[in-house]
Coordinates of all heavy atoms in Angstrom, one line a residue:
A142 N 105.9 105.2 105.3 CA 106.2 105.0 103.7 C 104.9 104.6 103.0 O 104.8 104.8 101.8 CB 107.1 104.1 103.5
D143 N 103.8 104.3 103.6 CA 102.5 103.9 103.0 C 101.5 104.8 103.0 O 100.4 104.6 102.5 CB 102.0 102.6 103.8 CG 103.0 101.5 104.0 OD1 103.7 101.2 103.0 OD2 103.0 100.9 105.0
T144 N 101.8 106.1 103.3 CA 100.8 107.2 103.3 C 100.7 108.0 102.0 O 101.5 108.0 101.0 CB 101.2 108.2 104.3 OG1 102.5 108.9 103.9 CG2 101.3 107.7 105.7
N145 N 99.5 108.7 101.8 CA 99.2 109.5 100.6 C 99.7 110.9 101.1 O 100.2 111.2 102.2 CB 97.8 109.4 100.2 CG 96.8 109.7 101.3 OD1 97.1 110.5 102.3 ND2 95.6 109.2 101.2
A146 N 99.3 112.0 100.3 CA 99.7 113.3 100.5 C 99.1 114.0 101.6 O 99.5 115.0 102.2 CB 99.4 114.1 99.2
N147 N 97.9 113.2 102.1 CA 97.3 113.8 103.2 C 97.7 113.2 104.6 O 97.2 113.6 105.7 CB 95.7 113.5 103.2 CG 95.2 114.2 102.0 OD1 95.5 115.5 101.8 ND2 94.3 113.5 101.3
G148 N 98.5 112.2 104.5 CA 99.2 111.6 105.7 C 98.4 110.3 106.1 O 98.7 109.7 107.1
D149 N 97.3 110.0 105.4 CA 96.6 108.8 105.7 C 97.2 107.6 104.8 O 98.0 107.9 103.9 CB 95.1 108.9 105.3 CG 94.4 109.9 105.9 OD1 94.7 110.2 107.1 OD2 93.5 110.7 105.4
I150 N 96.9 106.4 105.1 CA 97.4 105.3 104.4 C 96.8 105.3 103.0 O 95.6 105.5 102.8 CB 97.1 104.0 105.1 CG1 97.9 104.0 106.5 CG2 97.6 102.8 104.2 CD1 99.4 104.2 106.3
F151 N 97.6 105.2 101.9 CA 97.2 105.2 100.6 C 96.4 104.0 100.2 O 96.8 102.8 100.5 CB 98.6 105.2 99.8 CG 98.4 105.2 98.2 CD1 97.5 106.0 97.6 CD2 99.1 104.3 97.5 CE1 97.5 106.0 96.2 CE2 99.0 104.1 96.1 CZ 98.1 105.0 95.5
G152 N 95.3 104.3 99.6 CA 94.3 103.3 99.3 C 94.9 102.2 98.4 O 94.6 101.0 98.5
G153 N 95.8 102.6 97.5 CA 96.6 101.6 96.6 C 97.3 100.6 97.3 O 97.5 99.5 96.9
W154 N 97.9 101.1 98.4 CA 98.7 100.1 99.2 C 97.7 99.0 99.8 O 98.0 97.9 99.9 CB 99.4 100.9 100.5 CG 100.3 100.0 101.3 CD1 101.5 99.5 101.0 CD2 99.8 99.6 102.6 NE1 101.8 98.8 102.1 CE2 101.0 98.8 103.1 CE3 98.8 99.8 103.5 CZ2 101.0 98.2 104.4 CZ3 98.9 99.3 104.8 CH2 99.9 98.5 105.2
L155 N 96.5 99.5 100.2 CA 95.5 98.5 100.7 C 95.1 97.5 99.7 O 95.0 96.3 100.0 CB 94.4 99.2 101.4 CG 94.5 99.8 102.7 CD1 93.2 100.4 103.1 CD2 95.0 98.9 103.8
V156 N 94.9 98.0 98.4 CA 94.5 97.1 97.4 C 95.5 96.1 97.1 O 95.4 95.0 96.9 CB 94.2 97.9 96.2 CG1 93.9 97.0 95.0 CG2 92.9 98.9 96.3
S157 N 96.8 96.6 97.1 CA 98.0 95.7 96.9 C 98.0 94.6 98.0 O 98.1 93.4 97.7 CB 99.2 96.5 97.0 OG 100.4 95.6 97.0
L158 N 97.8 95.0 99.3 CA 97.7 93.9 100.2 C 96.6 92.9 99.9 O 96.8 91.7 100.2 CB 97.5 94.5 101.7 CG 98.7 95.2 102.3 CD1 98.2 95.7 103.6 CD2 99.9 94.2 102.5
M159 N 95.4 93.4 99.6 CA 94.3 92.6 99.2 C 94.7 91.6 98.2 O 94.3 90.4 98.3 CB 93.1 93.4 98.9 CG 92.7 94.2 100.2 SD 91.4 95.5 99.7 CE 89.8 94.6 99.7
D160 N 95.2 92.1 97.2 CA 95.6 91.4 96.0 C 96.5 90.2 96.4 O 96.5 89.0 95.9 CB 96.2 92.3 94.9 CG 96.4 91.5 93.6 OD1 95.6 90.7 93.2 OD2 97.4 91.8 93.0
M161 N 97.6 90.6 97.2 CA 98.5 89.5 97.8 C 97.9 88.4 98.6 O 98.1 87.4 98.5 CB 99.6 90.2 98.6 CG 100.7 90.9 97.8 SD 102.1 91.4 98.7 CE 101.5 92.9 99.5
G162 N 96.9 89.1 99.5 CA 96.2 88.0 100.3 C 95.3 87.1 99.5 O 95.5 85.9 99.8
G163 N 94.6 87.7 98.6 CA 93.8 86.6 97.6 C 94.6 85.9 96.8 O 94.3 84.7 96.6
G164 N 95.8 86.3 96.3 CA 96.8 85.4 95.7 C 97.4 84.3 96.6 O 97.4 83.2 96.0
I165 N 97.7 84.6 97.8 CA 98.1 83.6 98.7 C 97.0 82.5 98.9 O 97.3 81.3 98.9 CB 98.6 84.2 100.1 CG1 99.9 85.1 99.9 CG2 98.6 83.2 101.1 CD1 100.1 85.9 101.2
E166 N 95.9 83.0 99.1 CA 94.8 81.9 99.4 C 94.4 81.3 98.1 O 94.2 80.0 98.1 CB 93.6 82.6 100.0 CG 93.8 83.1 101.4 CD 94.2 81.8 102.2 OE1 93.6 80.8 102.3 OE2 95.3 82.0 103.0
G167 N 94.4 81.9 96.9 CA 94.0 81.3 95.7 C 95.1 80.2 95.3 O 94.7 79.1 94.9
R168 N 96.4 80.5 95.5 CA 97.5 79.5 95.3 C 97.4 78.4 96.3 O 97.6 77.2 95.8 CB 98.8 80.2 95.4 CG 99.9 79.3 95.0 CD 101.3 80.0 95.2 NE 101.5 80.5 96.5 CZ 102.2 81.8 96.8 NH1 102.6 82.4 95.8 NH2 102.3 82.2 98.1
R169 N 96.9 78.5 97.5 CA 96.8 77.5 98.5 C 95.7 76.6 98.0 O 95.6 75.4 98.0 CB 96.5 78.1 99.9 CG 96.4 77.0 101.0 CD 96.1 77.6 102.3 NE 94.8 78.2 102.3 CZ 93.7 77.6 102.5 NH1 93.7 76.2 102.6 NH2 92.5 78.3 102.7
R170 N 94.6 77.1 97.5 CA 93.3 76.5 97.1 C 93.7 75.7 95.8 O 93.3 74.5 95.7 CB 92.1 77.3 97.0 CG 90.9 76.8 96.4 CD 90.4 75.6 97.2 NE 89.0 75.2 96.7 CZ 89.0 74.2 95.7 NH1 90.1 73.8 95.0 NH2 87.8 73.8 95.2
A171 N 94.3 76.2 94.8 CA 94.4 75.7 93.5 C 95.7 74.8 93.4 O 95.9 74.1 92.5 CB 94.5 76.7 92.5
K172 N 96.6 75.0 94.4 CA 97.8 74.2 94.4 C 98.7 74.6 93.2 O 99.4 73.6 92.7 CB 97.6 72.8 94.6 CG 97.0 72.5 95.9 CD 96.8 71.1 96.1 CE 96.1 70.7 97.5 NZ 95.2 71.5 98.0
C173 N 98.6 75.8 92.7 CA 99.5 76.3 91.6 C 99.5 77.8 91.5 O 98.8 78.6 92.4 CB 98.9 75.7 90.3 SG 97.4 76.4 89.9
R174 N 100.2 78.3 90.6 CA 100.2 79.8 90.3 C 98.9 80.3 90.2 O 97.9 79.6 89.4 CB 101.2 80.2 89.3 CG 102.6 80.1 89.6 CD 103.5 80.5 88.4 NE 103.2 81.9 88.1 CZ 103.4 82.3 86.8 NH1 104.0 81.6 85.9 NH2 103.2 83.4 86.5
V175 N 98.5 81.5 90.6 CA 97.4 82.2 90.2 C 97.6 83.6 89.8 O 98.6 84.2 90.2 CB 96.2 82.1 91.3 CG1 96.0 80.7 91.7 CG2 96.8 82.9 92.6
V176 N 96.6 84.2 88.9 CA 96.8 85.5 88.6 C 95.5 86.3 88.9 O 94.5 85.6 88.7 CB 97.3 85.8 87.1 CG1 98.7 85.1 87.0 CG2 96.3 85.0 86.1
T177 N 95.5 87.5 89.1 CA 94.4 88.3 89.3 C 93.9 88.7 87.9 O 94.6 89.1 87.1 CB 94.8 89.6 90.0 OG1 95.5 89.3 91.3 CG2 93.6 90.5 90.4
V178 N 92.5 88.5 87.7 CA 92.0 88.9 86.4 C 91.0 89.9 86.5 O 90.7 90.6 85.6 CB 91.4 87.6 85.7 CG1 92.5 86.7 85.3 CG2 90.3 87.0 86.4
A179 N 90.5 90.2 87.7 CA 89.4 91.2 88.0 C 89.3 91.6 89.4 O 89.6 90.9 90.3 CB 88.1 90.7 87.5
I180 N 89.1 92.9 89.6 CA 88.6 93.3 91.0 C 87.2 93.8 90.6 O 87.0 94.9 89.9 CB 89.4 94.6 91.5 CG1 90.9 94.1 91.7 CG2 88.8 95.0 92.7 CD1 91.9 95.1 92.1
D181 N 86.2 93.1 90.9 CA 84.8 93.3 90.6 C 84.1 94.2 91.4 O 83.2 94.9 91.1 CB 84.1 92.0 90.6 CG 84.7 91.0 89.7 OD1 84.9 91.3 88.5 OD2 85.0 89.9 90.1
A182 N 84.6 94.5 92.6 CA 84.0 95.6 93.6 C 85.2 96.0 94.6 O 86.0 95.3 95.0 CB 82.9 95.1 94.2
M183 N 85.1 97.3 94.8 CA 86.1 97.8 95.8 C 85.6 98.9 96.6 O 85.0 99.8 96.0 CB 87.4 98.3 95.1 CG 88.5 98.8 96.0 SD 89.2 97.4 96.8 CE 89.4 98.0 98.4
T184 N 85.4 98.8 97.9 CA 85.0 99.9 98.8 C 86.0 100.3 99.9 O 86.4 99.3 100.6 CB 83.6 99.4 99.4 OG1 82.7 99.0 98.4 CG2 82.9 100.5 100.2
F185 N 86.2 101.5 100.0 CA 87.0 102.0 101.2 C 86.0 102.6 102.2 O 85.3 103.5 101.9 CB 88.0 103.1 100.7 CG 89.0 102.6 99.7 CD1 88.9 102.8 98.3 CD2 90.1 101.9 100.1 CE1 89.8 102.4 97.5 CE2 91.1 101.4 99.2 CZ 90.9 101.7 97.8
I186 N 86.0 102.0 103.4 CA 85.0 102.3 104.4 C 85.4 103.3 105.3 O 84.7 104.2 105.7 CB 84.6 101.0 105.2 CG1 84.1 100.0 104.1 CG2 83.7 101.3 106.2 CD1 83.9 98.6 104.6
K187 N 86.7 103.2 105.8 CA 87.3 104.2 106.8 C 88.6 104.4 106.5 O 89.4 103.5 106.0 CB 87.1 103.6 108.3 CG 85.7 103.3 108.7 CD 85.7 102.7 110.2 CE 84.3 102.4 110.5 NZ 83.3 103.4 110.8
P188 N 89.2 105.5 106.9 CA 90.7 105.8 106.8 C 91.6 104.8 107.7 O 91.0 104.4 108.7 CB 90.8 107.2 107.1 CG 89.7 107.6 108.0 CD 88.5 106.7 107.5
V189 N 92.7 104.6 107.1 CA 93.6 103.9 107.9 C 94.9 104.8 108.3 O 95.2 105.6 107.4 CB 94.2 102.7 107.1 CG1 95.3 101.9 107.8 CG2 93.0 101.8 106.6
Y190 N 95.4 104.6 109.3 CA 96.4 105.6 109.9 C 97.8 104.8 110.1 O 97.8 103.6 110.3 CB 96.0 106.3 111.2 CG 94.7 106.9 111.0 CD1 93.6 106.4 111.5 CD2 94.6 108.1 110.3 CE1 92.3 107.1 111.3 CE2 93.4 108.7 110.1 CZ 92.2 108.2 110.6 OH 91.0 108.9 110.5
V191 N 98.8 105.6 110.1 CA 100.1 105.0 110.4 C 100.2 104.4 111.8 O 99.6 105.0 112.7 CB 101.2 106.2 110.5 CG1 102.5 105.6 110.9 CG2 101.4 106.6 109.0
G192 N 100.7 103.3 111.9 CA 100.6 102.4 113.1 C 99.5 101.5 113.3 O 99.7 100.7 114.2
D193 N 98.5 101.6 112.5 CA 97.5 100.6 112.6 C 97.9 99.2 112.3 O 98.7 99.0 111.3 CB 96.2 101.0 111.7 CG 95.4 102.2 112.1 OD1 95.6 102.6 113.3 OD2 94.6 102.5 111.3
T194 N 97.4 98.3 113.0 CA 97.7 96.8 112.6 C 96.5 96.5 111.6 O 95.4 96.7 111.8 CB 97.5 96.0 113.9 OG1 98.5 96.4 114.8 CG2 97.8 94.4 113.4
I195 N 97.2 96.1 110.3 CA 96.2 95.8 109.3 C 96.1 94.3 109.1 O 97.1 93.5 109.0 CB 96.8 96.3 107.9 CG1 97.2 97.8 108.1 CG2 95.9 96.1 106.8 CD1 96.0 98.8 108.4
C196 N 94.9 93.7 109.0 CA 94.6 92.3 108.9 C 93.7 92.2 107.7 O 92.7 92.7 107.5 CB 93.7 91.8 110.1 SG 94.6 92.2 111.8
C197 N 94.2 91.3 106.8 CA 93.6 91.1 105.5 C 92.9 89.6 105.5 O 93.7 88.6 105.7 CB 94.6 91.2 104.4 SG 93.9 90.9 102.7
Y198 N 91.6 89.5 105.4 CA 90.9 88.3 105.5 C 90.3 88.0 104.1 O 89.8 88.9 103.4 CB 89.8 88.3 106.5 CG 90.3 88.3 107.9 CD1 90.7 89.4 108.7 CD2 90.2 87.0 108.6 CE1 91.2 89.4 109.9 CE2 90.6 86.9 110.0 CZ 91.1 88.0 110.6 OH 91.6 88.0 111.8
T199 N 90.3 86.7 103.7 CA 89.8 86.2 102.4 C 88.6 85.2 102.8 O 88.8 84.3 103.7 CB 90.8 85.5 101.7 OG1 91.3 84.4 102.3 CG2 91.9 86.5 101.3
Q200 N 87.6 85.3 102.0 CA 86.4 84.3 102.0 C 86.4 83.8 100.5 O 86.0 84.7 99.7 CB 85.2 84.8 102.4 CG 85.2 84.9 103.9 CD 83.7 85.3 104.5 OE1 83.2 86.5 104.3 NE2 83.0 84.4 105.0
L201 N 86.4 82.5 100.3 CA 86.2 82.0 98.9 C 84.7 82.0 98.7 O 83.9 81.4 99.4 CB 86.8 80.5 98.9 CG 86.7 79.8 97.5 CD1 87.3 80.6 96.3 CD2 87.1 78.5 97.6
L202 N 84.3 82.7 97.6 CA 82.8 82.8 97.3 C 82.4 81.7 96.3 O 81.4 81.2 96.4 CB 82.5 84.2 96.7 CG 82.8 85.3 97.6 CD1 82.6 86.6 97.0 CD2 81.9 85.2 99.0
K203 N 83.3 81.5 95.2 CA 82.9 80.7 94.2 C 84.2 80.0 93.6 O 85.2 80.8 93.3 CB 82.1 81.4 93.2 CG 81.6 80.6 92.0 CD 80.9 81.4 90.9 CE 80.5 80.6 89.7 NZ 80.0 81.4 88.7
V204 N 84.1 78.8 93.2 CA 85.2 78.2 92.3 C 84.6 77.8 91.0 O 83.7 77.0 91.0 CB 85.8 77.0 93.0 CG1 86.8 76.2 92.1 CG2 86.4 77.3 94.3
G205 N 85.1 78.4 89.9 CA 84.8 77.9 88.6 C 85.7 76.8 88.0 O 86.4 76.2 88.9
R206 N 85.7 76.7 86.7 CA 86.7 75.7 86.2 C 88.1 76.1 86.4 O 88.9 75.3 86.9 CB 86.3 75.4 84.8 CG 87.1 74.1 84.2 CD 86.7 74.0 82.7 NE 87.4 74.8 81.9 CZ 88.6 74.5 81.5 NH1 89.3 73.6 82.1 NH2 89.3 75.4 80.7

Side-chain angles (χ1 to χ4, degrees):
D143 306 318
T144 59
N145 60 26
N147 297 319
D149 300 326
I150 296 304
F151 177 53
W154 182 76
L155 284 180
V156 173
S157 174
L158 286 180
M159 295 167 81
D160 192 37
M161 283 190 284
I165 289 167
E166 290 305 310
R168 186 175 57 216
R169 185 179 67 78
R170 172 62 176 80
K172 297 178 178 41
C173 64
R174 286 180 57 201
V175 299
V176 293
T177 309
V178 296
I180 299 174
D181 301 306
M183 186 67 226
T184 305
F185 296 100
I186 302 164
K187 296 180 188 286
V189 177
Y190 304 103
V191 171
D193 284 352
T194 298
I195 308 300
C196 305
C197 182
Y198 283 83
T199 63
Q200 282 188 285
L201 182 61
L202 299 175
K203 181 181 178 189
V204 176
R206 192 177 80 75

